[in-house]
Amino acid sequence: HRVSASVGVTLFGDHPGERVEEPLKRADMAMYQAKLAGRNALCFFDPKMQTAINDRAQLETDLRQALITQQLVLHFQPQASLQGEVVGAECLLRWQHPQRGMVPPGQFIAVAEESDLILHIGQWVLHSACTQLARWQEQPQWAHLQLSVNVSARQFRQSDFVHQVIETLQVTGARAHLLTLELTESLVLDNVEDAIDKMHQLRTKGVRFSVDDFGTGYSSLAYLTRLPLHQLKIDQSFVRNLGSRPSDDVIVQTIIGMGRNLDLEVIAEGVETEAQKAILAGHGCDLYQGYLLARPMPVADFERSLGGPAAPPQ
Ligand code: C2E
Ligand code: MG
Ligand code: MG
């Protein structure tokens, strides 16, 4: 039997009046650091650990506040055909923090995912996206626009996820086939049977599914064919090196070919240059999203970029 130990160490005695819990807490933090460093190790407490934990707790508190005080906004990044016809947009969350400024999702989604906050945020995003779809439906020139919404694993795992989506569609009046939910491979693989069941229920209502960051997970053809998917979204890491890293050319070509054989639409994200777009087009990619076309932007800018008469202010 092999046993290993992770040890956290801290000094005590130089803070007069300190309660016994304090050094124990510090030692505990250091011990977790030792585990994080690969276990079977010894780690001394560093005040930076405390700062990191406090910062995180503060971020979570601020995020809860952000939901209540409406600091969260959706930005829209257009998705277009090869000819440049905009078919819709991806909704990307932004946090307009009064002190921190615009906080990108990479900095707060992970924190939100560690608590039930992500459920509230996810519901807010879904509701906002569907409200937007319903508004566009009333304008003939925009009625065809689709929206893609990112769904977190924790959100999708809720037992009433299907009900939430259907209810949101009903309450807002958005047409289901204009809503695409973006799932990641790992989310689906985490519990394939549950994912298939939920996706089928929503698919019968018209909701579409896309696999986000496709190619970065452990996709197997076997499960791909079992999922009621509409779209594969090629991860931007493959698009980035198109033309310079031959292996990425092959991956992209394979994904597009696979999409075609499985009768799935393929979209590339992170398309920044004409050269990348040309290579993707050469392989038969259906849709394009990236800085080449436009950066994510507030809804008013998105509508303006489409041309045509502006919507009346809401
Ligand atoms: P994602 O869904 O893969 O979104 C694509 C990211 O690529 C976005 O970053 C987008 O701004 C960025 N991007 C788009 N075009 C280009 C390009 O041409 N070049 C480069 N370098 N980047 C490009 P963003 O907005 O920072 O979002 C990051 C991630 O945060 C998203 O990755 C998504 O996983 C997550 N996220 C964003 N909004 C939501 C949301 O409402 N709910 C959930 N659960 N996650 C969200
Ligand atoms: Mg996405
Ligand atoms: Mg992506």
Side-chain angles (χ1 to χ4, degrees), residues 4-305:
S4 71
S6 301
V7 182
V9 184
T10 187
L11 293 172
F12 66 97
D14 53 355
H15 303 287
E18 186 177 65
R19 287 176 303 129
V20 65
E21 290 85 6
E22 299 302 321
L24 284 177
K25 221 190 273 173
R26 291 198 296 271
D28 202 43
M29 279 182 217
M31 187 265 287
Y32 277 105
Q33 204 59 38
K35 283 186 190 247
L36 269 179
R39 296 166 183 268
N40 197 21
L42 179 143
C43 190
F44 283 87
F45 174 77
D46 177 344
K48 280 194 209 120
M49 291 175 193
Q50 183 81 56
T51 314
I53 288 172
N54 290 351
D55 283 356
R56 212 179 165 78
Q58 187 60 46
L59 192 70
E60 198 182 315
T61 312
D62 286 3
L63 200 46
R64 277 187 203 282
Q65 201 57 31
L67 260 174
I68 301 166
T69 56
Q70 299 177 344
Q71 294 167 13
L72 297 181
V73 282
L74 282 187
H75 279 194
F76 297 81
Q77 187 175 36
Q79 303 179 330
S81 68
L82 181 60
Q83 291 73 31
E85 186 209 349
V86 174
V87 296
E90 176 174 8
C91 303
L92 292 158
L93 193 56
R94 299 290 179 264
W95 178 8
Q96 187 62 62
H97 190 285
Q99 281 89 41
R100 298 172 202 244
M102 196 65 102
V103 188
Q107 283 179 25
F108 65 88
I109 292 281
V111 175
E113 277 175 339
E114 282 176 13
S115 70
D116 62 348
L117 256 177
I118 194 65
L119 306 181
H120 300 290
I121 292 177
Q123 182 55 40
W124 181 86
V125 170
L126 187 65
H127 192 273
S128 306
C130 289
T131 305
Q132 190 57 61
L133 281 175
R135 278 182 196 150
W136 284 336
Q137 274 163 215
E138 288 165 14
Q139 314 265 338
Q141 80 274 29
W142 292 335
H144 64 285
L145 293 173
Q146 328 169 6
L147 283 178
S148 296
V149 168
N150 294 287
V151 175
S152 278
R154 197 157 172 164
Q155 197 186 347
F156 187 75
R157 285 285 153 257
Q158 293 173 97
S159 54
D160 65 343
F161 178 73
V162 171
H163 173 74
Q164 281 179 31
V165 176
I166 293 173
E167 195 177 30
T168 306
L169 287 166
Q170 279 167 354
V171 169
T172 57
R175 277 147 67 195
H177 74 278
L178 295 174
L179 177 69
T180 298
L181 300 181
E182 291 192 3
L183 310 178
T184 58
E185 294 168 75
S186 56
L187 179 158
V188 172
L189 286 179
D190 183 40
N191 185 343
V192 180
E193 297 311 321
D194 178 61
I196 292 177
D197 179 45
K198 284 181 170 140
M199 289 169 76
H200 269 293
Q201 288 186 51
L202 286 168
R203 187 71 205 98
T204 53
K205 299 285 175 189
V207 177
R208 293 172 171 179
F209 288 94
S210 176
V211 186
D212 202 357
D213 307 334
F214 189 75
T216 58
Y218 301 95
S219 311
S220 84
L221 275 173
Y223 95 79
L224 262 189
T225 55
R226 291 184 59 206
L227 301 173
L229 290 171
H230 176 75
Q231 185 185 71
L232 300 178
K233 192 167 202 181
I234 306 175
D235 188 64
Q236 49 182 290
S237 62
F238 303 119
V239 175
R240 193 172 303 135
N241 300 308
L242 278 181
S244 60
R245 196 191 285 171
S247 60
D248 284 353
D249 284 37
V250 175
I251 290 174
V252 163
Q253 185 178 4
T254 307
I255 294 175
I256 295 171
M258 197 157 80
R260 187 171 304 138
N261 290 331
L262 294 174
D263 207 15
L264 300 173
E265 185 178 82
V266 180
I267 182 168
E269 70 177 353
V271 183
E272 293 183 353
T273 66
E274 288 291 353
Q276 292 165 348
K277 189 177 172 189
I279 295 174
L280 288 159
H283 294 315
C285 187
D286 301 301
L287 295 173
Y288 304 80
Q289 178 185 341
Y291 295 168
L292 177 65
L293 190 66
R295 291 189 177 244
M297 53 191 142
V299 67
D301 294 347
F302 177 67
E303 290 175 347
R304 217 170 295 129
S305 75

